[in-house]
Amino acid sequence: MHAAQPPPSNSFAGVVLCGGKSRRMGESKATLPFGDELMVQRVVRLLSEVVSPIVVVAAEGQTLPELPAGTLLARDQRADRGPLEGLQAGLAALENRAEAAFATSCDVPLLQPAFVRRMLAELDASHQIAVAVEDKFAHPLAAVYRVGVLPVIRRLLAEDRLRPLFLFDEVPTRRVDVATLREVDAELHSLKNCNFPEDYREALRLAGFDA
């Protein structure tokens, strides 16, 4: 049996979190129709233009639609623990597969591949994370994480320190002002989550579909 080989130093994967309760939407955001796709299918497709493999992280028992061949599936170990729980599952699935991963959620159907590429480029050798920051708010699901931060995430979860800010404070993190990201995503559509029904209708309109 051969020992696992380390991933290439510049290999990038993707993590899509879809295990939230969708309480504000009133139904599963992952399976909302978006054109001829469902929302999670669209996000995976857009992300796959830039990175591979992609891990979709679902809640325990959550049913997902068919996803492209090669998509990995992981499950949250515990419910209602926020994005750090999903990141733990997603990054664990990528150990020995990738050096780092762009993390997003399943409810950003206007995600721009150019935005993903730019964020990947922002992760330099001296940082473990690159995160988009808007008016001092860091977007944990518009960020790139080295797989090597996994032990820190696990420790924070064990300590019930669930806010992503705790992670950003503990490891070298590059904070990327969204003003620079407008160069590749002028309207910052990649940050537009569909939390409410009106957000979903607006995203459909912007994508050219009937709301």
Side-chain angles (χ1 to χ4, degrees):
M1 182 176 179
H2 297 290
Q5 296 298 309
S9 60
N10 291 318
S11 63
F12 292 113
V15 173
V16 179
L17 303 191
C18 63
K21 296 293 187 181
S22 302
R23 294 183 180 94
R24 291 173 291 183
M25 183 64 69
E27 59 184 300
S28 172
K29 292 189 283 187
T31 54
L32 287 173
F34 212 92
D36 59 359
E37 302 169 289
L38 302 181
M39 196 174 291
V40 67
Q41 293 171 330
R42 178 181 172 92
V43 172
V44 168
R45 175 177 60 79
L46 292 169
L47 191 54
S48 70
E49 294 184 23
V50 185
V51 297
S52 178
I54 293 172
V55 183
V56 173
V57 182
E60 190 64 40
Q62 181 180 4
T63 300
L64 293 178
E66 183 177 355
L67 296 169
T71 304
L72 305 175
L73 178 63
R75 300 279 182 180
D76 291 331
Q77 292 181 12
R78 295 176 62 184
D80 296 325
R81 300 265 285 175
L84 282 188
E85 183 72 33
L87 285 171
Q88 172 186 235
L91 294 178
L94 292 171
E95 287 187 292
N96 298 315
R97 292 176 181 266
E99 173 71 17
F102 180 86
T104 187
S105 58
C106 69
D107 65 344
V108 283
L110 305 180
L111 180 69
Q112 303 293 301
F115 181 98
V116 178
R117 292 187 185 96
R118 180 59 174 269
M119 287 301 301
L120 297 177
E122 293 287 348
L123 184 68
D124 58 30
S126 61
H127 291 93
Q128 295 296 302
I129 298 170
V131 59
V133 176
E134 184 175 15
D135 297 328
K136 297 184 179 179
F137 173 76
H139 290 267
L141 296 183
V144 187
Y145 299 84
R146 294 196 188 279
V147 175
V149 304
L150 190 53
V152 182
I153 293 176
R154 285 173 171 153
R155 175 170 57 78
L156 291 172
L157 288 169
E159 296 170 353
D160 284 328
R161 299 172 66 201
L162 306 183
R163 295 175 60 195
L165 182 62
F166 293 135
L167 176 62
F168 303 150
D169 286 344
E170 292 223 6
V171 303
T173 296
R174 182 176 180 84
R175 290 166 167 82
V176 184
D177 194 295
V178 296
T180 66
L181 297 170
R182 288 185 183 275
E183 297 172 6
V184 293
D185 185 358
E187 301 300 323
L188 297 177
H189 284 162
S190 300
L191 301 178
K192 293 185 183 300
N193 301 88
C194 294
N195 290 318
F196 297 94
E198 54 267 31
D199 300 330
Y200 170 46
R201 291 191 293 270
E202 176 67 2
L204 286 169
R205 185 189 67 79
L206 289 170
F209 299 120
D210 292 331

